[in-house]
Amino acid sequence: MDLSTINVRYAKAFFSTAKEKKLLDIFHDDIKLIYEVCTTSTDFILLLESPVIKVSKKEKLITEIFKGKVHDLTLNFLILIVKNKREVHIPGICRKFLDLTRQDQNIKSAILVTAVEVPATMMEKISSLLAKQLNSKIELTGKVNENIIGGMVLRMEDIQYDASVATQIKKIKQKLLESELK
């Protein structure tokens, strides 16, 4: 079975359970926590990917890690994934679940790349302006890239708005080269 198909099936099943039981916000926070553990802990990924560790031991360790931190249904969902020997797909399932939640709640993700760190108040203003413009909620993440020299690059889904100084310099250089050739 295709890896993405596995991720989609499990994520959709858990998403529909969340909607049915009216626990979407709780499950979203749980999955966000699990995904964060997956992306920050190499030991956890090694646990999931290890063919040497028995299923019963993985169940026990996952229960110890997440018991009391996530809803019981979320923990049962993780145990079900492990019992079905699909634990290596947990990060992908989490990512797909978070995507489904964003779609359902009309939330768009955006990344703002700047040469220096943007203050939190400015990030909030930018987020609210984007939300008003696009008529949806915005999850805005800031990243620093000194190579853009100044200005900003805003990426949202398939759209990129590049107002960086580095790009402007490249455009000017290109125009000068074109005019020199004529």
Side-chain angles (χ1 to χ4, degrees), residues 13 19 39 44 49 59 80 123 146 152 156 162 172:
K19 293 279 283 187
T39 56
F44 185 71
E49 294 176 348
E59 288 176 27
L80 175 72
M123 289 291 281
E146 296 167 358
M152 64 160 200
M156 188 165 36
D162 191 341
I172 292 170

Side-chain angles (χ1 to χ4, degrees), residues 149-163:
I149 303 171
M152 64 160 200
V153 177
L154 179 65
R155 290 186 199 114
M156 188 165 36
E157 295 172 355
D158 294 341
I159 302 167
Q160 176 171 305
Y161 175 72
D162 191 341

Side-chain angles (χ1 to χ4, degrees), residues 38-56:
C38 290
T39 56
T40 58
S41 174
T42 53
D43 291 338
F44 185 71
I45 294 299
L46 290 173
L47 165 72
L48 296 178
E49 294 176 348
S50 176
V52 179
I53 302 172
K54 292 181 180 179
V55 170
S56 59

Side-chain angles (χ1 to χ4, degrees), residues 86-142:
R86 304 284 196 205
E87 62 271 10
V88 295
H89 301 287
I90 288 176
I93 293 168
C94 290
R95 196 172 34 255
K96 185 63 184 171
F97 179 87
L98 294 171
D99 288 345
L100 290 169
T101 306
R102 278 191 214 99
Q103 287 173 354
D104 182 66
Q105 297 178 346
N106 194 23
I107 299 172
K108 298 190 185 303
S109 295
I111 300 171
L112 181 68
V113 182
T114 55
V116 294
E117 182 126 6
V118 178
T121 54
M122 183 64 102
M123 289 291 281
E124 289 172 17
K125 286 180 183 178
I126 293 169
S127 182
S128 65
L129 284 171
L130 287 171
K132 186 185 276 186
Q133 186 74 26
L134 300 169
N135 199 22
S136 64
K137 297 176 190 171
I138 303 292
E139 284 182 352
L140 186 63
T141 308

